[in-house]
Amino acid sequence: MPDTEILSPMQMALAEARAAADRGEVPVGAVVVRAGRVIASAGNRTRELNDPTAHAEMLAVRAACERVGDERLTGCDLHVTLEPCPMCAGAISFARIRRLYFGAADPKGGAVENGVRLYASPTCHHAPEVYGGMAEGEAAALLRNFFRERRGV
Amino acid sequence: MPDTEILSPMQMALAEARAAADRGEVPVGAVVVRAGRVIASAGNRTRELNDPTAHAEMLAVRAACERVGDERLTGCDLHVTLEPCPMCAGAISFARIRRLYFGAADPKGGAVENGVRLYASPTCHHAPEVYGGMAEGEAAALLRNFFRERRGV
């Protein structure tokens, strides 16, 4: 019997994004995986925490570092529903994340395939392997619906 | 009689950088000023906290946001001893910092006048006014001495 309850890391990140939307936060979610296990997950909490740095990726990276007791997450992978911004892309590099999987591209705010394309810069000292467009439709729809509803208020 | 005990914000940032070096951290310090008063100051704590995001600027911005109860620091200025990296430059932008004063330029890791030059990117939605080279000699010497001593160990 197939175990249909096991979510992929990106499905877990999407669940974090939906939970963020329910809290009135921009719906972005992220999880950190090490050796096939999720070791941290987070959704965006910038409003709740009054903290402009509290993007999903930042919170997930910080929680994972706390869990492993190291400021480097060598061998760990990050799954996030939206293309990271410059701040998060920088943190992902500092944390030595091995692979970055992201959902929707972000032409206006992204810094991986768009904007400053941080990992292509000669001053970026660690670049993860990057896999974009994971569950892209769902990740983008979450954001679109969130902003549509807010405009309607 | 001149009050010789009042430190400038950059002198306070340098004191935070020296304290960071004493803790074995890369010596960078930052302070946030609002209406002529320092509302937050921090030194780098990445090792102590096992947190790759715990750069001086990030900690100072987060502390200032907590103090004012807002995720935006409109009208506030940041003084930091080293040119911010992409992560910190991004956070400074999200926090809507008005003016950024930095000490030493960082050709290898900076993202303001070097590297990706984040604030010149069309995808950067808020750029502070930037003043580089403040107390540059002292800020650079602190870093140079720190790394020289570590190499000597």
Side-chain angles (χ1 to χ4, degrees):
Chain A
M1 194 173 76
D3 186 344
T4 54
E5 295 201 352
I6 293 178
L7 296 179
S8 72
M10 189 55 79
Q11 286 171 321
M12 291 184 63
L14 285 164
E16 287 282 4
R18 282 188 290 270
D22 290 345
R23 296 190 301 268
E25 304 274 2
V26 174
V28 181
V31 307
V32 175
V33 173
R34 183 172 67 162
R37 286 170 183 269
V38 170
I39 59 167
S41 73
N44 185 21
R45 290 188 184 269
T46 55
R47 288 171 192 197
E48 175 189 341
L49 302 178
N50 281 329
D51 181 352
T53 78
H55 285 192
E57 303 95 308
M58 303 291 280
L59 297 178
V61 162
R62 292 174 57 203
C65 286
E66 190 172 349
R67 177 145 175 196
V68 305
D70 196 330
E71 59 170 307
R72 293 190 177 182
L73 298 172
T74 311
C76 296
D77 303 327
L78 183 86
H79 302 250
V80 56
T81 58
L82 183 67
E83 179 184 352
C85 73
M87 175 180 72
C88 294
I92 288 163
S93 171
F94 287 132
R96 303 292 193 275
I97 289 285
R98 180 179 61 174
R99 295 183 188 127
L100 165 64
Y101 300 88
F102 72 82
D106 186 1
K108 287 186 185 171
V112 177
E113 293 186 346
N114 290 285
V116 298
R117 302 183 69 245
L118 186 65
Y119 302 138
S121 167
T123 60
C124 178
H125 307 300
H126 168 83
E129 291 174 35
V130 175
Y131 303 90
M134 318 295 293
E136 188 174 12
E138 194 173 350
L142 266 172
L143 285 156
R144 206 164 43 235
N145 293 341
F146 178 79
F147 287 111
R148 185 181 294 145
E149 279 174 25
R150 286 174 61 86
R151 276 195 303 272
V153 169
Chain B
M1 194 173 81
D3 186 344
T4 54
E5 297 201 350
I6 293 176
L7 296 179
S8 72
M10 188 57 79
Q11 286 171 321
M12 290 185 64
L14 285 163
E16 287 281 3
R18 282 189 289 270
D22 291 343
R23 297 190 301 268
E25 305 273 2
V26 173
V28 180
V31 308
V32 176
V33 172
R34 184 172 68 162
R37 284 169 185 270
V38 170
I39 60 166
S41 72
N44 185 22
R45 290 187 185 268
T46 56
R47 290 174 189 194
E48 175 190 339
L49 302 178
N50 281 327
D51 181 353
T53 77
H55 286 192
E57 302 95 309
M58 303 291 281
L59 297 178
V61 163
R62 290 175 58 202
C65 286
E66 190 173 347
R67 177 145 175 197
V68 304
D70 195 330
E71 59 171 310
R72 294 191 175 179
L73 297 172
T74 311
C76 295
D77 303 328
L78 183 86
H79 301 250
V80 55
T81 58
L82 183 67
E83 179 184 353
C85 72
M87 174 178 73
C88 293
I92 288 163
S93 171
F94 287 133
R96 304 292 193 278
I97 289 286
R98 179 178 61 174
R99 295 184 188 124
L100 165 64
Y101 299 88
F102 72 82
D106 185 1
K108 288 186 184 171
V112 177
E113 292 185 347
N114 291 284
V116 299
R117 301 184 69 244
L118 186 65
Y119 301 138
S121 167
T123 60
C124 179
H125 308 300
H126 169 83
E129 290 173 37
V130 175
Y131 303 89
M134 318 295 291
E136 188 173 11
E138 193 173 350
L142 265 171
L143 284 156
R144 204 163 48 235
N145 294 340
F146 178 80
F147 287 111
R148 186 181 293 144
E149 280 174 25
R150 286 174 62 87
R151 276 195 303 270
V153 171

